[in-house]
Amino acid sequence: MLYAPHFLTGAAILKVFPNPEVGLPLAFISHFLLDLTPHNDFGLRPGISLKEFFNFPPKRRNVILTVMGLDYLLTAVSIIWVFLTFNNYYYLAGGVVGVLPDAFEQLLMLLGLKLPGWQDKLQWRVSAKYGFISYPIVSILALLLIIS
């Protein structure tokens, strides 16, 4: 799943459970629960290296990079919005904890390691036709929780 829904869900959890001793573990667990919702991961599987990714056919690689770039932009906008609107570091911490498992795996990939498969069995991957429906639904529900 993309970063923005994970971040917004983690932030929403800290809104609902403001005690960080409860909210932060729940935000972390939410990452894995969201990965169990139907989504599309562009066919990226454990064991892929950054070099292999950049050897994808240009059209496929560019689509993935474009969607990832938009996701990073939406996540950055979400971080700024949450901070400026609520000025609450716990919401930000919840969001960061919500993306932490993916961020850690992708950091390892950037450091030259192959994408680990720790979370692979928790992914409910579906075709692109249906896999991008969950992203806006999860994000909108999380936004509604945050602003309520």
Side-chain angles (χ1 to χ4, degrees):
M1 183 164 276
L2 298 172
Y3 276 33
H6 280 305
F7 176 84
L8 290 168
T9 300
I13 288 171
L14 266 291
K15 167 88 186 265
V16 175
F17 299 96
N19 179 347
E21 292 175 6
V22 175
L24 290 175
L26 289 175
F28 186 75
I29 291 167
S30 78
H31 179 94
F32 304 104
L33 294 176
L34 287 179
D35 281 349
L36 289 168
T37 62
H39 65 281
N40 186 279
D41 282 340
F42 308 101
L44 300 176
R45 298 287 184 167
I48 189 171
S49 69
L50 206 52
K51 181 179 178 183
E52 291 168 333
F53 171 77
F54 281 107
N55 284 329
F56 280 176
K59 182 178 178 183
R60 179 177 180 208
R61 181 187 63 232
N62 292 341
V63 166
I64 294 170
L65 289 173
T66 299
V67 172
M68 288 173 64
L70 288 171
D71 179 51
Y72 295 154
L73 178 65
L74 286 172
T75 303
V77 168
S78 298
I79 290 168
I80 293 166
W81 173 73
V82 165
F83 180 71
L84 293 179
T85 303
F86 302 99
N87 198 22
N88 187 312
Y89 291 105
Y90 287 141
Y91 294 4
L92 291 176
V96 169
V97 168
V99 301
L100 206 53
D102 285 346
F104 182 70
E105 279 191 343
Q106 292 169 10
L107 175 66
L108 292 176
M109 196 173 166
L110 287 174
L111 295 173
L113 300 172
K114 291 181 181 267
L115 184 66
W118 304 323
Q119 303 178 65
D120 190 52
K121 296 209 184 314
L122 297 175
Q123 304 295 320
W124 184 358
R125 294 181 182 99
V126 296
S127 70
K129 180 178 179 180
Y130 301 106
F132 292 100
I133 296 170
S134 61
Y135 298 130
I137 292 171
V138 168
S139 297
I140 290 167
L141 290 173
L143 283 169
L144 290 173
L145 278 171
I146 292 169
I147 62 174
S148 66

